[in-house]
Amino acid sequence: MAKNLSGDLSVASANRLVDGVVVFLDDAGQWTTRFELAAVARDKRAGEILLERARAEAFDVIDPFLVAVIEDDDGRFEPISLREKIRVSGLTFDAIAADAVRYA
Amino acid sequence: MPLFSETGSTTILEPLPFADWQQRPAWPAVSLANTDPVEDLAPHVGRLRLIVLSFPKFSDGRAYSQARLLRGRLGYTGELRATGGVLQDQLPFMLRCGFDSFESDQKGFGEALAKTRTLFSVVYQPAEDDRATASLLRLSRRNVHPAV
Amino acid sequence: MPDTHFYQPKHFYQYDDYDRALVGERVEQFRDQVRRRIAGELTEEQFKPLRLTNGLYLQLHAYMLRIAIPYGTLSSRQLRKLADISRKYDRGYGHFTTRQNLQLNWIKLQDAPDALAALADVDMHAIQTSGNCIRNVTADHYAGAAVDEIEDPRIWCEIVRQWSTLHPEFSFLPRKFKIAITGSPNDRAAVRVHDIGLRLWANEAGEVGFEVIVGGGLGRTPMIGKTLREFLPRDELLAYLEATLRVYNRYGRRDNLYKARIKILVHEIGAEKMREEVEAEYAAIKDGALKLPAETIEAIARQFAPPPLPHRPAVVAEVEGLKLEDRDFALWLKSNVAPHRMAGYRIVTASLKPAGAPPGDASAVQMEGVADIADAYSQGEIRVSHEQNLVLPHVAVEDLPAVWRALGRLGFAEANVGKITDIIACPGLDYCALANARSIPVAQRISNHFAELARQHDIGDLKIKISGCINACGHHHVGHIGILGVDKNGVELYQLSLGGDVDFGKTAIGAILGPAVTADKVVEAVDALVHTYLDARSDGERFVDTYRRIGAQPFKERVYAAV
């Protein structure tokens, strides 16, 4: 069961300028590709502050924004929307491999 | 806002907004909005020395058509100034449409203007800069060296 | 000194030093723009239109590079180079789109100039494949080989490509602008659903000219284009296009992104007023510098002269024999092989829709495989169709068994062209920053469900088209069955529509069937639609014909009872 469904938990995300890779702002104000290291804002006000920090650190990333997340019983976070889940975990099907002659 | 031109010469005339200018059509400088009808300037182009066209945003391209009509259709030969959202990366298009002065606060704009004509050695379509298109050059080349 | 230039085979448009210089200079201009962006001299807002007009999008996980394949024509060397680029700068696969482009999904901004330089090595580019400008001009994928062709539309596509490339006046239009050209009465280029559609036809005097259709399009507000000109002399094409674009650039709406396409302008002022405006502008410029000299047209036309095809037998015993022996081959001949204007030849479609695969995707190895087959059996020539398949335009009847086997080894010999699993699908929410719902997994489930070929052939011609959002890259409006993914409070739902069509003279926008269904019910819903058709069809009727005859109600009842 999710502990917090209020929709107020959030992390800051963006795409990295040089390669477009999905990144998250960590507690130290650095951009990381690892979602589990993302700084979590626990309420609306904290979210606004997080977003401000993200925008202040936006030189190497494009258009930071807040991603609503939920927390499970083990303290793990997950984005709420499918779009953001896909940004975290990648394609929901197997892309064909470069050396594949058939899709399987 | 800093003003640039390739030759370095620009007029210091103060342009009147189109509506005001219509009250004083003898004044040689006018500023047009994108919705003002350039065709109405036809009887006056010989006497005008400055026409300012506006780019409300750099992504709003209506003034390119206005510029071409003024140069190509109405035969305007005075200064044609771009103002508003004017960035160095639009310069190749603006020069081809007949603009010859530019108001821009972008850093490095003057240096970029000086280099713009070196960016593309080929053009594909006729415009207001009288450059020979690739298609014309091919024709004259074929006439010199008939098709093998 | 060895000549290091890239040369196309003889029957392809060959870049000369002007074309090459322009494309090369464009790459260097973009290299400098990328440098300035990374150095912080350009903001994202300023940079975005610059990268878009060089084909570079920012998607969910990476940048995407959309490469133009002008008029869908590729030489084998070009296709090999695309494979090479996909390996070197991406993940070794690409997605062929409905607009005869190839999209690479995992490009890095810092690599993009090098990828574009590599493309320029084989006379290709990504210029104006996005942004509010005139996009890659598309054509009938059977051009130059079709039996019903009046004139090769690619001649005119190339003329329009040159005129529209870096057009100084039309690079900041209100919105994107798509042009398609067909040279056949059987329209395979969907000319009625483009911003401008051009159809070559011969009048009673035997003169060939263009019907000019303006203001069609799909997207948020689907519309069928209106004919502005019944017959336009060919040498006045560019003047007429310039006049139309000028009217659009000056008067098209810029206050609302969703109302900025030319179709809205045509709709709001009416076709009659639009015609007056365009004709007035055209009258002012038609005898000017845009008038095409006969010599220019001929010089380009010569480059599209049909390849010299040696005489090959029209009836081949081996082919007839294999047809009787092998059911799959017989089905493949029926669905994937079309008549060619030369006796002894056929046009073969390589289906990029094997059961369960993402529609339109090909690996680097598959691209190279198709290039090899084209070299051996199709004059080194490949086409990209707007149905997201590859086409081998000049295959001898004698070679059909060998081509079938070779394509089979690549997984591209599925006998499903035009059938229910020949699905058009956009990349959807798995890749796309604009999407609301996934497209590819839905296509995969439908494809797996209907994989049995004999059943597909029994169901007959049925076009399913899937878009992951209202922008309609999957052309759902013109699918016999259209599927549109929507997001409702974070849940993916799929809206079904029936009766869309792109065939010329029958072009129609599908009608929404009823409430959207959940993702796990899409297959059941499509299955119910198919069963309704199978029960109700009379002899020779396709799905869409039955729908037109009996209407939506029987389909509706069965679908909503099933889901």
Side-chain angles (χ1 to χ4, degrees):
Chain A
M1 261 304 282
K3 276 185 200 163
N4 188 332
L5 283 173
S6 67
D8 288 348
L9 294 182
S10 59
V11 303
S13 183
N15 290 75
R16 200 158 59 193
L17 174 63
V18 291
D19 56 10
V21 165
V22 175
V23 287
F24 302 92
L25 197 71
D26 69 12
D27 286 319
Q30 302 288 310
W31 292 100
T32 171
T33 55
R34 292 169 60 188
F35 174 72
E36 66 275 16
L37 297 183
V40 178
R42 295 216 161 249
D43 56 45
K44 270 213 165 99
R45 180 72 195 119
E48 285 163 15
I49 294 166
L50 183 64
L51 184 59
E52 249 169 65
R53 259 178 72 201
R55 284 183 177 146
E57 298 295 332
F59 188 76
D60 295 325
V61 301
I62 301 165
D63 299 340
F65 63 101
L66 287 181
V67 175
V69 298
I70 49 168
E71 183 177 13
D72 70 12
D73 289 342
D74 302 325
R76 277 192 298 259
F77 297 93
E78 190 191 31
I80 296 172
S81 79
L82 177 61
R83 173 192 156 101
E84 295 308 321
K85 281 183 188 137
I86 290 173
R87 283 182 78 246
V88 169
S89 349
L91 304 180
T92 63
F93 60 92
D94 295 321
I96 192 161
D99 55 355
V101 286
R102 274 170 190 283
Y103 182 80
Chain B
M1 181 113 49
L3 185 58
F4 301 89
S5 77
E6 286 179 294
T7 57
S9 78
T10 52
T11 174
I12 52 161
L13 286 168
E14 194 56 40
L16 293 176
F18 183 64
D20 298 345
W21 175 85
Q22 281 179 305
Q23 308 305 313
R24 292 174 56 192
W27 185 249
V30 60
S31 170
L32 297 187
N34 293 142
T35 45
D36 291 332
V38 288
E39 288 86 348
D40 289 7
L41 296 183
H44 311 278
V45 287
R47 150 156 68 72
L48 281 164
R49 288 173 51 204
L50 172 67
I51 300 177
V52 181
L53 297 178
S54 118
F55 290 81
K57 287 184 295 189
F58 70 89
S59 53
D60 186 333
R62 285 174 288 183
Y64 294 106
S65 286
Q66 291 181 306
R68 289 202 63 190
L69 290 171
L70 285 169
R71 291 290 195 214
R73 182 129 344 135
L74 273 54
Y76 172 66
T77 56
E79 181 177 335
L80 187 56
R81 183 179 299 171
T83 187
V86 178
L87 300 171
Q88 69 173 81
D89 295 290
Q90 294 153 264
L91 279 169
F93 302 130
M94 289 183 170
L95 287 176
R96 296 218 63 214
C97 287
F99 288 100
D100 55 7
S101 73
F102 310 90
E103 279 187 314
S104 176
D105 53 9
Q106 192 181 24
K107 215 178 124 216
F109 188 91
E111 292 83 345
L113 176 61
K115 281 191 290 194
T116 296
R117 289 192 196 272
T118 66
L119 289 178
F120 291 99
S121 62
V122 179
V123 297
Y124 274 140
Q125 55 294 102
E128 309 314 321
D129 55 354
D130 294 327
R131 289 180 68 181
T133 63
S135 169
L136 268 179
L137 294 170
R138 284 169 184 141
L139 270 181
S140 59
R141 189 192 268 185
R142 267 192 296 274
N143 292 335
V144 178
H145 310 282
V148 279
Chain C
M1 219 177 107
D3 182 356
T4 54
H5 274 334
F6 167 78
Y7 284 103
Q8 290 276 42
K10 252 204 141 90
H11 55 287
F12 284 81
Y13 178 76
Q14 175 66 55
Y15 271 23
D16 62 11
D17 39 2
Y18 300 122
D19 300 307
R20 234 176 239 134
L22 187 131
V23 170
E25 286 161 357
R26 174 68 163 184
V27 172
E28 293 316 307
Q29 181 196 34
F30 187 54
R31 196 184 292 285
D32 182 58
Q33 290 165 341
V34 169
R35 182 193 61 71
R36 286 190 280 131
R37 173 67 185 113
I38 291 176
E41 292 169 28
L42 286 170
T43 65
E44 185 59 21
E45 194 205 356
Q46 292 167 345
F47 180 62
K48 192 175 171 184
L50 305 177
R51 66 168 159 77
L52 289 177
T53 47
N54 283 285
L56 204 62
Y57 278 76
L58 181 62
Q59 295 289 47
L60 291 187
H61 318 280
Y63 290 92
M64 176 269 277
L65 181 63
R66 181 183 287 159
I67 297 166
I69 300 170
Y71 29 93
T73 299
L74 281 172
S75 68
S76 54
R77 283 185 62 189
Q78 289 176 321
L79 184 54
R80 278 194 199 92
K81 188 72 172 191
L82 292 175
D84 203 42
I85 290 169
S86 79
R87 240 190 231 112
K88 193 160 173 194
Y89 300 105
D90 203 274
R91 295 194 179 170
Y93 70 95
H95 174 76
F96 290 97
T97 77
T98 54
R99 294 212 74 257
Q100 299 180 317
N101 296 308
L102 176 70
Q103 294 184 175
L104 301 178
N105 292 301
W106 307 93
I107 293 286
K108 298 180 168 69
L109 175 63
Q110 55 196 8
D111 289 346
D114 290 338
L116 293 174
L119 269 182
D121 285 345
V122 291
D123 298 352
M124 293 184 74
H125 60 73
I127 298 170
Q128 291 170 210
T129 55
S130 177
N132 295 333
C133 52
I134 303 168
R135 302 287 188 89
N136 183 31
V137 182
T138 55
D140 181 358
H141 43 273
Y142 289 174
V147 200
D148 55 355
E149 186 166 282
I150 292 154
E151 185 168 298
D152 194 330
R154 296 174 303 162
I155 300 163
W156 299 98
C157 290
E158 178 56 30
I159 288 169
V160 175
R161 184 190 75 82
Q162 295 187 20
W163 162 78
S164 62
T165 296
L166 307 192
H167 197 297
E169 186 179 347
F170 306 135
S171 289
F172 293 93
L173 294 168
R175 200 72 181 83
K176 59 189 169 183
F177 204 92
K178 300 174 180 178
I179 301 176
I181 311 182
T182 185
S184 294
N186 296 302
D187 175 25
R188 286 169 292 263
V191 294
R192 287 229 172 246
V193 287
H194 279 77
D195 295 287
I196 292 184
L198 298 167
R199 186 177 69 90
L200 283 154
W201 65 289
N203 66 13
E204 278 170 12
E207 299 154 342
V208 176
F210 293 102
E211 178 184 353
V212 183
I213 300 150
V214 176
L218 301 175
R220 190 170 295 257
T221 319
M223 290 200 189
I224 311 286
K226 315 284 187 300
T227 299
L228 279 205
R229 232 333 160 94
E230 284 290 344
F231 188 89
L232 178 75
R234 283 174 298 184
D235 58 353
E236 292 172 23
L237 176 64
L238 294 186
Y240 204 87
L241 292 180
E242 184 137 311
T244 309
L245 266 295
R246 183 166 292 152
V247 169
Y248 171 54
N249 191 43
R250 295 184 74 187
Y251 305 117
R253 285 182 63 173
R254 292 176 186 262
D255 59 322
N256 180 341
L257 180 69
Y258 303 126
K259 296 186 186 297
R261 295 286 290 271
I262 195 173
K263 61 191 168 189
I264 304 292
L265 177 64
V266 175
H267 180 74
E268 286 181 353
I269 68 174
E272 207 39 61
K273 175 75 177 151
M274 185 72 190
R275 184 177 299 118
E276 269 172 41
E277 292 284 343
V278 170
E279 291 284 340
E281 183 58 37
Y282 164 71
I285 60 176
K286 77 197 243 306
D287 297 314
L290 284 167
K291 186 150 188 151
L292 286 156
E295 227 182 316
T296 296
I297 299 171
E298 279 158 24
I300 289 184
R302 265 199 301 278
Q303 306 212 38
F304 291 95
L309 296 174
H311 173 78
R312 301 287 291 269
V315 182
V316 179
E318 191 207 340
V319 173
E320 297 306 313
L322 190 57
K323 204 156 85 178
L324 297 175
E325 268 163 42
D326 195 309
R327 189 204 60 163
D328 285 357
F329 179 68
L331 292 178
W332 181 78
L333 285 181
K334 264 167 88 179
S335 54
N336 295 32
V337 176
H340 192 282
R341 65 172 171 211
M342 273 264 296
Y345 285 85
R346 294 288 183 276
I347 303 170
V348 170
T349 299
S351 166
L352 266 51
K353 322 284 176 67
D361 280 14
S363 72
V365 167
Q366 286 174 317
M367 289 186 227
E368 286 160 347
V370 173
D372 291 344
I373 297 170
D375 274 342
Y377 303 110
S378 180
Q379 309 291 320
E381 186 164 348
I382 302 103
R383 303 291 179 76
V384 181
S385 77
H386 81 266
E387 279 156 342
Q388 298 181 286
N389 290 313
L390 294 177
V391 171
L392 299 167
H394 311 292
V395 176
V397 173
E398 243 177 342
D399 295 332
L400 287 171
V403 168
W404 174 64
R405 290 189 187 103
L407 286 173
R409 287 191 286 276
L410 296 175
F412 287 165
E414 196 92 345
N416 65 347
V417 171
K419 308 301 177 203
I420 190 166
T421 65
D422 186 7
I423 299 168
I424 288 184
C426 70
L429 188 57
D430 282 288
Y431 291 104
C432 179
L434 299 173
N436 293 320
R438 286 172 292 168
S439 304
I440 292 170
V442 172
Q444 290 176 305
R445 286 205 299 278
I446 296 171
S447 169
N448 282 323
H449 181 80
F450 290 99
E452 219 280 297
L453 283 178
R455 181 158 177 239
Q456 289 193 52
H457 278 255
D458 176 46
I459 295 167
D461 289 351
L462 206 177
K463 296 185 180 197
I464 296 186
K465 306 192 184 208
I466 308 174
S467 305
C469 78
I470 194 77
N471 292 307
C473 295
H475 294 180
H476 65 276
H477 297 297
V478 287
H480 298 163
I481 299 175
I483 301 177
L484 167 65
V486 296
D487 171 286
K488 198 158 186 200
N489 306 322
V491 179
E492 291 170 299
L493 293 180
Y494 294 87
Q495 201 173 67
L496 302 168
S497 57
L498 298 183
D501 204 336
V502 284
D503 289 354
F504 201 81
K506 286 184 244 160
T507 309
I509 304 298
I512 294 170
L513 186 70
V517 303
T518 53
D520 57 330
K521 295 292 184 191
V522 173
V523 171
E524 279 98 325
V526 172
D527 200 63
L529 291 172
V530 169
H531 276 103
T532 313
Y533 155 66
L534 291 175
D535 291 350
R537 71 176 164 187
S538 42
D539 279 352
E541 247 182 7
R542 300 173 305 157
F543 176 92
V544 68
D545 302 324
T546 303
Y547 166 78
R548 284 178 191 142
R549 178 171 56 81
I550 68 176
Q553 200 51 35
F555 291 94
K556 202 168 171 171
E557 281 164 14
R558 194 129 169 195
V559 165
Y560 293 103
V563 303

